[in-house]
């Protein structure tokens, strides 16, 4: 029997909740060294492209257990503010246990409806989460509204769109979650007046940088 959109949404959120405690081990731990730096070079590449500076306010959408936290805090410093947003409470709770810095606010909300102040963030980063948004156009409207004029919008993965979509197809809970084709992504960004500065979709790395 086919699942309804609502059932798909709930089973996706349950999947992420059920994997919260092991998330960092699953994706970021280098088994040989035991350190959580398996994608160190990829993160350096990503953050060389995102123009973060001391004092910035940044929204990390679908933050999970907070793998981006150290990279963002290092750049925005204690003068900045980081919003860690996720719709899965156990992901957010694990994140909160790992990151005690005073300039982090944890937000349990859906990207489509999160009620952060309009035009309050210098950057909105969607790392490894965009395919999971149920209504991508609605999420774009909400997230771009949170961005300041001149702010930076980022969508990134450490694989190509083809690789990401293949990976999701093999996992029941997220098998419907797709990173749209480049033309659809361009239309989604254009519809909310974001200008694309960079669009990389290559084996091992996907990154869109756009300006409001
Ligand atoms: C593949 S995980 C990536 C987590 C983290 N960015 C990382 O790379 O480790 C996707 C995350 O997005 C969150 N997520 C999915 N759909 C969401 C939505 N509509 N609103 C907010 N968070 C969402 C999930 O709960 C999960 O934590």
């Amino acid at each position: 029997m086919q699942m309804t959109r609502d059932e798909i949404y709930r089973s996706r959120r349950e999947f992420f909740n059920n994997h919260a405690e092991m998330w960092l081990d699953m994706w970021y731990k280098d088994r040989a060294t035991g350190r959580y730096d398996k994608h160190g070079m990829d993160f350096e590449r990503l953050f060389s492209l995102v123009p973060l500076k001391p004092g910035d306010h940044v929204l990390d959408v679908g933050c999970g257990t907070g793998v981006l936290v150290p990279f963002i805090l290092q750049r925005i410093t204690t003068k900045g503010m980081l919003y860690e947003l996720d719709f899965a409470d156990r992901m957010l709770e694990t994140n909160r246990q790992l990151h005690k810095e005073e300039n982090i606010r944890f937000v349990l909300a859906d990207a489509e409806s999160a009620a952060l102040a309009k035009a309050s963030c210098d950057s909105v980063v969607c790392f490894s989460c965009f395919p999971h948004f149920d209504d991508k156009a609605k999420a774009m409207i909400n997230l771009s509204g949170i961005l300041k004029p001149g702010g930076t919008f980022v969508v990134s993965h450490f694989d190509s769109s083809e690789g990401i979509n293949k990976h999701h197809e093999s996992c029941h809970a997220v098998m419907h979650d797709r990173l749209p084709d480049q033309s659809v992504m361009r239309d989604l960004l254009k519809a909310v007046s974001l200008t694309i500065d960079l669009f990389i979709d290559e084996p091992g790395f996907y990154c869109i940088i756009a300006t409001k």
Side-chain angles (χ1 to χ4, degrees):
M1 209 174 61
Q2 264 205 333
M3 288 205 288
T4 64
R5 205 166 168 171
D6 233 40
E7 285 167 338
I8 291 171
Y9 182 91
R10 275 188 270 119
S11 103
R12 178 191 296 126
R13 191 171 51 191
E14 191 184 350
F15 168 81
F16 286 119
N17 269 327
N18 288 341
H19 288 81
E21 286 81 12
M22 62 194 99
W23 193 257
L24 286 176
D25 281 14
M26 279 168 70
W27 298 107
Y28 300 107
K29 189 171 182 173
D30 182 329
R31 307 249 165 252
T33 64
R35 286 200 300 266
Y36 291 87
D37 59 1
K38 191 168 130 192
H39 284 288
M41 304 274 276
D42 298 316
F43 282 120
E44 286 310 322
R45 180 175 181 192
L46 171 60
F47 284 98
S48 73
L49 300 171
V50 184
L52 299 180
K53 57 184 185 313
D56 274 0
H57 287 215
V58 177
L59 172 59
D60 177 10
V61 187
C63 60
T65 55
V67 71
L68 298 188
V69 168
F71 298 96
I72 296 173
L73 287 186
Q74 187 195 346
R75 287 161 175 84
I76 67 173
T77 76
T78 53
K79 291 185 205 153
M81 181 63 78
L82 172 57
Y83 297 93
E84 287 287 291
L85 182 148
D86 206 288
F87 79 160
D89 53 323
R90 281 169 64 188
M91 279 286 196
L92 212 59
E93 188 47 38
T94 307
N95 190 337
R96 195 195 300 272
Q97 294 306 323
L98 292 171
H99 304 107
K100 305 284 185 192
E101 289 85 351
E102 281 179 8
N103 58 336
I104 305 178
R105 299 289 175 272
F106 294 93
V107 185
L108 181 63
D110 192 297
E112 291 171 25
S113 52
L116 271 79
K118 297 286 169 211
S120 61
C121 285
D122 301 279
S123 289
V124 172
V125 181
C126 299
F127 177 68
S128 278
C129 62
F130 197 87
H132 306 302
F133 300 161
D134 182 49
D135 184 335
K136 293 175 176 57
K138 196 172 166 194
M140 287 301 300
I141 291 169
N142 193 41
L143 297 175
S144 63
I146 294 165
L147 202 54
K148 289 179 187 171
T152 304
F153 187 83
V154 182
V155 180
S156 182
H157 294 267
F158 293 158
D159 205 346
S160 62
S161 57
E162 192 187 345
I164 292 294
N165 289 336
K166 270 207 187 109
H167 165 68
H168 286 165
E169 275 164 24
S170 67
C171 175
H172 183 71
V174 294
M175 63 188 288
H176 303 280
D177 301 357
R178 292 187 62 77
L179 194 50
D181 292 346
Q182 181 163 161
S183 63
V184 176
M185 286 304 287
R186 286 185 180 277
D187 288 347
L188 281 169
L189 271 73
K190 196 172 162 197
V192 291
S193 302
L194 292 171
T195 304
I196 297 174
D197 305 313
L198 180 81
F199 201 132
I200 300 171
D201 185 0
E202 63 186 33
F205 197 74
Y206 181 98
C207 186
I208 302 175
I209 306 275
T211 304
K212 183 171 173 183

